[in-house]
Amino acid sequence: VALQPVVSGVGWGTRAAESPQRLPTLSLGDPTDERSRAAQPPSPGPLAGVTVIDMTSMWAGPLATSLLAEAGAEVIKVEPSCRLDGMRGTPEMFTILNKNKTFADLDLRRTGDRASFLDLVARADIVIDSFSPRVMPNLELTRPALVEAGGQSLLTLSMPAFPPGHRRSWIAYGTGVHAASGLGDLGDGRFAAPFVSYPDPMAGLTAFTTMLALLV
């Protein structure tokens, strides 16, 4: 389930933004903006020295990585210009979930970007993704490939919507998980959608605590 991230072990990297649509690296908004500088953590934090590659989007994964960033980890969000995070449609929430991250415009289908990515795997401690199970294999970025570049000590955490079984390949956000799990069934043939997509933050919090446990 989205509440049970799949865990194994791995890493990623950064490149300066080129498109005007892209956020500059190191902060949201203009790096000279006082509000952007104020958003940066005031002290190193307990996870200082830990580098996280964030391949997540929307709410669940970015919540997990934002908490790692709040704890002092360096979080590098890989967001190619050709496929921006859908949460950008809700700018206030996007800002909250990504305020302490560095952005990397890397399209992993391109040879050069892929090489830059693999170079960065070598210095990373963690890579987190929220793709469907087909994406990383399609990019030839399975755990063995990442370990070859980054070593056995790296950690990976994947956050598919569903556990192994007939729904494994399905794509869903929290509302879809709510529906498929039966939690919205009122017991009389009617279904109620949730007021808020609660499985998303639950998954994000679970992923965060899982990664903390692995780091410890």
Side-chain angles (χ1 to χ4, degrees):
V1 183
L3 308 187
Q4 296 176 322
V6 177
V7 178
S8 46
V10 159
W12 279 61
T14 98
R15 191 180 70 180
E18 297 172 357
S19 166
Q21 291 182 297
R22 304 288 300 145
L23 295 176
T25 58
L26 301 179
S27 67
L28 292 178
D30 188 329
T32 64
D33 187 291
E34 289 295 333
R35 290 170 302 174
S36 295
R37 290 204 299 273
Q40 300 305 309
S43 60
L47 295 185
V50 172
T51 300
V52 180
I53 306 306
D54 182 0
M55 299 177 68
T56 69
S57 62
M58 299 305 287
W59 190 358
L63 174 59
T65 53
S66 72
L67 292 171
L68 291 171
E70 289 288 343
E74 176 191 11
V75 177
I76 301 163
K77 183 179 176 76
V78 177
E79 186 192 27
S81 298
C82 62
R83 191 178 180 85
L84 297 174
D85 188 336
M87 191 59 79
R88 284 180 177 273
T90 309
E92 297 83 1
M93 192 165 181
F94 180 85
T95 299
I96 290 170
L97 291 172
N98 296 283
K99 63 182 179 180
N100 294 320
K101 301 175 184 178
T102 299
F103 287 74
D105 185 353
L106 295 174
D107 182 346
L108 298 179
R109 299 170 300 177
R110 297 177 176 174
T111 302
D113 285 5
R114 183 183 176 84
S116 297
F117 162 73
L118 291 175
D119 284 344
L120 288 160
V121 170
R123 73 173 182 84
D125 301 288
I126 301 167
V127 64
I128 302 179
D129 79 82
S130 60
F131 298 130
S132 68
R134 65 181 172 80
V135 174
M136 294 297 271
N138 284 352
L139 290 171
E140 298 182 348
L141 292 175
T142 57
R143 172 164 170 75
L146 293 169
V147 167
E148 183 178 354
Q152 291 287 345
S153 65
L154 295 179
L155 300 170
T156 57
L157 189 152
S158 295
M159 302 174 66
F162 298 100
H166 71 283
R167 293 174 176 162
R168 182 61 163 180
S169 63
W170 292 12
I171 299 171
Y173 299 117
T175 305
V177 172
H178 168 86
S181 66
L183 290 171
D185 188 349
L186 298 179
D188 58 3
R190 293 180 300 150
F191 172 81
F195 288 109
V196 67
S197 186
Y198 66 90
D200 286 312
M202 290 176 69
L205 291 170
T206 303
F208 169 64
T209 55
T210 298
M211 190 52 63
L212 285 183
L214 291 173
L215 285 170
V216 170

